[in-house]
């Protein structure tokens, strides 16, 4: 077990969004404001950690043939919990995230980590993996939504930074999501190739 | 005979050299754009010239800075940044604030062109991609002034929104358009609109110059304009198909797009058949957007969309290689069975 390696993989070298290219749909759709990004990122982190632990605990009981269905049931249980908790305590965020919270059930980050890591590891490493991968996802969401909110509507977490008429509203639209994500992925590739000593 | 005393240079082929580099070709394009630019100054005032100058300077500056920052060679000499600069100015209204223009320059040069590897590697036409991005500021991008207005290069001006031919065409109001601008006016370019798109006459002259200089081929412009002409003639709005067709051809950015933008080497197909398909596709989408879209003008999006299909067109139209036909025919007669199928049979 190597916690340092797991943290580095989750945040940088195996970042779920920028390197593994998982969970792109929610990433593109909800990163219009920073509060959305934080809310979504933390929800996914919580669900990912809990479902990783549970799937790791159940890994010897779940039959090979129906494992995906079993994972989905576990994940759906936690998603329902988080959904109801958000609606009870953070109704604003639940409102603005809308259908994307229930859709975490089919978020491929969670399914991919369950399949490739949690089902093969002990509960503690699985939990750490969930936290690291979840934080990697959250980090990307925050960076992306900060860029899109600042340049697209001139605000940062709701506070006006510069007048809206100077903002490139294109970035707040879906086009801007693809554009920002593409630039971030390219930047990540560039950083990684630099780190490897390439050109 | 002793060759050693002869004044010869030994070298491998190619031996015939041409001066046609990227810089030479882009220079020809710049020459072709001089007349439309001059007309824009005549039609809209000195601000047209200063807008073009700011845009060219911005594009060159961003190109220079990016290449310096990335420690790559200076590529200003191929003039493609300057061409992009003029084209960006051409697709904007003359009243465009300079800061929006500079953001458009940045988007075209850095995001669309340099991030993908510089000249020859952009997957979209930089100027049109910049225009699509600059529509973030929809109000500023659609403030049109009337013909023969003198907008000063600096300082305040009265920017009243003036109807362009495209707004009439979008409403399907042919008689209103005929009252406002007659065909000769449209042809010469005494109308409102984007800086570089107004004068059909000078754009056609510029396009013919490019075809004469063999910078572009006629396949894309002819198939593009022909498709638009055919569709608008067959499905007119109003009771005069010929007039409706002429207004559709002369109005908006069709001629500018067909001659100067759709023909961009990097973002158009290689083969002549592919170029014709590309042009027809541009024409179809242009007419569809003009007829059914919420925007007045569809040239920009039509060309951008077809830019994205160029790889597909190029892939599906491969030229015949000498000697391949026979082998192919033989293979068709005697289909080769995959090992899997054979295994299944057993």
């Amino acid at each position: 077990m190597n916690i340092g390696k797991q943290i580095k993989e989750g945040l940088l070298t195996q970042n779920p969004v920028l390197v593994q290219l998982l969970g792109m749909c929610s990433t593109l759709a909800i990163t219009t404001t920073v509060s959305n990004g934080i809310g979504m990122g933390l929800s996914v982190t919580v669900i990912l950690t809990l479902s990783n632990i549970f799937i790791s605990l159940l890994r010897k009981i779940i039959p090979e043939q129906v494992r995906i269905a079993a994972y989905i049931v576990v994940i759906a249980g936690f998603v329902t919990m988080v959904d109801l908790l958000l609606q009870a305590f953070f109704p604003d965020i639940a409102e603005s995230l809308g259908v994307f919270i229930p859709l975490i059930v089919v978020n491929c980050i969670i399914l991919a980590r369950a399949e490739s890591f949690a089902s093969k590891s002990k509960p503690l490493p699985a939990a750490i993996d969930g936290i690291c991968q979840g934080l990697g996802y959250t980090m990307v969401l925050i960076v992306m939504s900060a860029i899109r909110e600042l340049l697209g509507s001139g605000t940062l977490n709701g506070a006006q930074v510069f007048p809206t008429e100077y903002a490139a509203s294109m970035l707040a639209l879906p086009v801007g999501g693809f554009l920002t994500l593409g630039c971030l992925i390219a930047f990540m590739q560039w950083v990684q190739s630099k780190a490897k000593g390439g050109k | 005979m002793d060759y050693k005393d002869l004044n010869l240079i030994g070298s491998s082929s190619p031996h015939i050299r041409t001066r046609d580099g990227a810089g030479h070709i882009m220079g020809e394009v710049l020459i072709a754009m001089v007349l439309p630019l001059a007309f824009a100054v005549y039609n809209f005032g000195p601000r047209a010239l200063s807008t073009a100058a700011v845009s060219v300077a911005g594009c060159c500056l961003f190109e220079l800075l990016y290449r310096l920052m990335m420690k790559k060679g200076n590529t200003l000499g191929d003039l493609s940044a300057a061409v992009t600069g003029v084209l960006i100015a051409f697709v904007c209204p003359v009243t465009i604030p300079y800061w929006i223009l500079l953001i458009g320059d940045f988007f075209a040069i850095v995001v669309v062109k340099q991030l993908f590897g510089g000249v020859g590697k952009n997957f979209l036409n930089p100027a049109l991609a910049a225009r699509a991005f600059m529509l973030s500021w929809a109000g500023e991008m659609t403030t049109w002034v009337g013909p023969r207005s003198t907008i000063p290069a600096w300082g305040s001006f009265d920017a009243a929104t003036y109807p362009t031919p495209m707004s009439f065409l979008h409403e399907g109001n042919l008689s209103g358009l005929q009252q406002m601008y007659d065909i000769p006016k449209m042809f010469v370019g005494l109308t409102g609109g984007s800086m570089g798109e107004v004068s059909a006459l000078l754009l056609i002259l510029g396009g013919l110059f490019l075809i004469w200089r063999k910078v572009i081929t006629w396949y894309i412009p002819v198939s593009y304009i022909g498709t638009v002409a055919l569709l608008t003639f067959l499905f007119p709005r109003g009771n005069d198909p010929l007039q409706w067709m002429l207004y559709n051809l002369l109005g908006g950015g069709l001629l500018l797009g067909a001659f100067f933008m759709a023909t961009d080497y990097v973002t158009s197909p290689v083969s002549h058949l592919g170029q014709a398909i590309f042009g027809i596709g541009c024409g179809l989408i242009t007419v569809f957007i003009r007829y059914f879209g919420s925007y007045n003008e569809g040239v920009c999006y039509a060309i951008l969309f077809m830019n994205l299909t160029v790889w597909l067109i190029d892939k599906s139209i491969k030229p015949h290689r000498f000697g391949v036909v026979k082998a192919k025919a033989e293979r068709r007669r005697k289909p080769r069975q995959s090992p899997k199928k054979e295994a299944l049979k057993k």
Side-chain angles (χ1 to χ4, degrees):
Chain A
M1 194 166 93
N2 190 341
I3 295 179
K5 186 170 160 252
Q6 279 189 323
I7 294 174
K8 197 182 155 203
E9 280 190 349
L11 293 182
L12 297 170
T13 55
Q14 287 295 318
N15 186 296
V17 183
L18 297 185
V19 180
Q20 301 181 50
L21 305 184
L22 297 171
M24 312 273 277
C25 167
S26 55
T27 308
L28 291 168
I30 58 98
T31 48
T32 45
T33 61
V34 175
S35 61
N36 269 0
I38 295 174
M40 183 75 183
L42 291 183
S43 312
V44 169
T45 309
V46 170
I47 295 166
L48 182 56
T49 312
L50 292 175
S51 62
N52 261 7
I53 295 173
F54 257 74
I55 288 164
S56 169
L57 285 172
L58 297 172
R59 69 184 187 278
K60 295 197 176 121
I61 305 169
I62 297 174
E64 176 82 16
Q65 292 85 347
V66 294
R67 63 187 196 287
I68 301 288
Y71 299 158
I72 296 271
V73 172
V74 172
I75 297 165
F78 288 116
V79 169
T80 314
M81 262 172 54
V82 169
D83 190 18
L84 294 177
L85 284 173
L86 275 182
Q87 282 179 20
F89 294 102
F90 305 98
D92 294 345
I93 291 180
E95 177 98 1
S96 65
L97 289 178
V99 76
F100 288 99
I101 289 289
L103 277 181
I104 296 177
V105 176
V106 285
N107 192 316
C108 34
I109 295 178
I110 300 177
L111 214 53
R113 294 324 288 178
E115 171 80 11
S116 69
F117 195 89
S119 61
K120 293 169 193 153
S121 323
K122 293 196 171 116
L124 190 59
I128 294 168
D129 178 73
I131 294 172
C132 296
Q133 295 283 333
L135 287 181
Y137 177 72
T138 314
M139 189 183 75
V140 175
L141 286 199
I142 292 175
V143 171
M144 231 179 110
S145 52
I147 294 174
R148 286 181 69 190
E149 193 185 339
L150 182 66
L151 299 180
S153 47
T155 61
L156 199 56
N157 203 11
Q160 200 77 35
V161 178
F162 59 87
T164 309
E165 66 254 34
Y166 291 106
S169 57
M170 207 58 86
L171 282 176
L173 298 177
V175 184
F178 284 100
L179 208 59
T180 321
L181 186 61
C183 289
L184 282 179
I185 292 172
F187 179 71
M188 193 71 191
Q189 293 290 329
W190 183 70
V191 169
Q192 286 203 340
S193 68
K194 280 258 157 177
K196 275 179 198 150
K199 228 175 159 187
Chain B
M1 192 177 167
D2 191 6
Y3 292 101
K4 278 181 185 161
D5 298 332
L6 284 172
N7 191 15
L8 292 174
I9 302 166
S11 73
S12 59
S13 62
H15 299 296
I16 301 171
R17 295 186 179 219
T18 159
R19 60 211 167 89
D20 285 2
H24 179 77
I25 288 171
M26 290 299 156
E28 304 256 19
V29 178
L30 280 179
I31 293 171
M33 291 191 295
V34 165
L35 280 179
L37 180 63
F39 186 83
V41 178
Y42 166 78
N43 202 22
F44 296 120
R47 196 180 167 92
L49 189 61
S50 65
T51 304
V54 168
S55 181
V56 170
C59 281
C60 291
L61 184 72
F62 287 128
E63 173 129 338
L64 189 67
L65 286 181
Y66 182 89
R67 303 294 292 196
L68 276 182
M69 222 173 76
M70 291 291 136
K71 300 197 181 73
K72 291 177 176 172
N74 177 9
T75 50
L76 283 184
D78 64 30
L79 292 178
S80 65
V83 169
T84 302
V86 178
L87 284 177
I88 290 176
F90 271 16
V91 295
C92 292
V94 69
T95 52
I96 187 88
Y98 293 128
W99 62 270
I100 296 183
L101 203 62
L102 288 174
I103 292 175
D105 292 347
F106 175 82
F107 190 80
I109 293 297
V110 175
V111 178
V112 179
K113 197 170 125 196
Q114 292 295 348
L115 282 185
F116 287 88
V119 65
K121 303 221 169 65
N122 47 302
F123 70 113
L124 291 174
N125 185 313
L128 287 178
R131 182 177 190 276
F133 188 74
M134 285 153 85
L135 274 172
S136 286
W137 299 275
E140 283 87 346
M141 283 296 284
T142 50
T143 306
W144 313 109
V145 295
R148 297 297 293 126
S149 44
T150 45
I151 308 289
W154 202 255
S156 63
F157 47 81
D158 182 27
T161 308
Y162 198 83
T164 65
M166 293 321 293
S167 48
F168 286 106
L169 284 181
H170 193 241
E171 291 165 10
N173 183 0
L174 186 59
S175 53
L177 182 55
Q178 281 166 331
Q179 274 167 16
M180 184 121 183
Y181 305 110
D182 51 17
I183 290 282
K185 254 189 189 170
M186 296 280 295
F187 188 66
V188 176
L190 290 166
T191 65
S194 296
M195 271 176 51
E197 75 181 19
V198 283
S199 175
L201 171 66
L202 297 178
L203 287 172
I204 292 174
L205 278 182
L208 289 179
F209 172 77
L210 289 182
I211 293 174
W212 171 58
R213 300 296 295 166
K214 297 210 169 85
V215 173
I216 62 173
T217 53
W218 55 270
Y219 297 92
I220 292 177
V222 168
S223 59
Y224 189 175
I225 297 169
T227 308
V228 173
L230 190 70
L231 278 181
T232 49
F233 185 75
L234 289 180
F235 305 101
R237 288 184 179 166
N239 44 16
D240 194 343
L242 192 65
Q243 290 263 321
W244 174 258
M245 180 190 90
L246 281 177
Y247 276 111
N248 259 297
L249 293 188
L250 300 176
L254 178 64
L255 295 170
L256 178 65
F259 284 116
F260 289 90
M261 292 172 164
T263 52
D264 178 13
Y265 291 144
V266 190
T267 53
S268 64
V270 181
S271 61
H272 290 163
L273 179 61
Q275 290 177 349
I277 293 173
F278 179 84
I280 291 170
C282 286
L284 285 175
I285 300 174
T286 302
V287 174
F288 287 163
I289 295 179
R290 281 185 182 180
Y291 273 42
F292 311 115
S294 56
Y295 286 111
N296 288 347
E297 175 58 307
V299 170
C300 170
Y301 296 108
I303 298 177
L304 284 177
F305 187 85
M306 290 311 288
N307 282 166
L308 296 177
T309 64
V310 164
W311 66 276
L312 198 62
I313 296 174
D314 271 342
K315 221 176 169 181
S316 53
I317 300 173
K318 276 190 189 151
H320 258 301
R321 266 178 300 165
F322 187 68
V324 174
V325 184
K326 207 176 169 189
K328 246 189 186 169
E330 258 169 33
R331 207 179 308 145
R332 211 172 293 137
R333 226 176 294 135
K334 215 175 13 174
R336 201 195 301 156
Q337 281 185 335
S338 66
K340 233 185 197 174
K341 268 190 186 163
E342 278 170 24
L344 278 177
K345 267 186 191 165
K346 281 171 193 168

